Amino acid sequence: MSDPEPTQFESDVLDLVAALRPGEVVTYGEIAAEVGKPGAARAVGSTLRRYGRSVPWWRVVAANGRLVPGGEQRQTDKLTAEGITMRDGKVVMSSL
């Protein structure tokens, strides 16, 4: 069974994440606010889990720099390859 078509919110999230450049890191909350839904950080995460295979999902982190649970090593590898500073499994927030 395939995923349904993304909603407008989900499409907006995917478009914004797709536009992130290498080395650019934002938070789920920043994405939510940018697409007009402040406070919808969890919905951004859900969107990236469902549809994020075609966008640079690894450039989006929690407000405290925490990485995707279960995907920490893969995300760390991708971010460090782009020059992002990591410490104790989190993005160093000064990098944001």
Side-chain angles (χ1 to χ4, degrees):
M1 184 172 176
S2 64
D3 288 323
E5 289 296 312
T7 65
Q8 186 62 53
F9 169 80
E10 291 166 333
S11 292
D12 291 346
V13 166
L14 295 171
D15 289 345
L16 193 56
V17 174
L20 295 173
R21 311 305 270 167
E24 185 177 6
V25 177
V26 297
T27 67
Y28 296 104
E30 289 171 329
I31 295 287
E34 186 68 28
V35 299
K37 298 286 185 184
R42 287 185 186 205
V44 170
S46 294
T47 297
L48 293 177
R49 260 191 315 282
R50 177 176 276 175
Y51 300 106
R53 294 173 298 278
S54 63
V55 298
W57 58 268
W58 60 90
R59 296 180 182 143
V60 185
V61 300
N64 65 358
R66 188 176 58 102
L67 305 179
V68 174
E72 295 93 346
Q73 189 59 57
R74 186 169 173 218
Q75 192 172 15
T76 294
D77 293 346
K78 289 181 171 289
L79 289 172
T80 55
E82 293 183 2
I84 300 300
T85 303
M86 308 291 294
R87 184 177 305 125
D88 299 325
K90 294 181 180 181
V91 171
V92 173
M93 297 309 284
S94 62
S95 297
L96 296 181

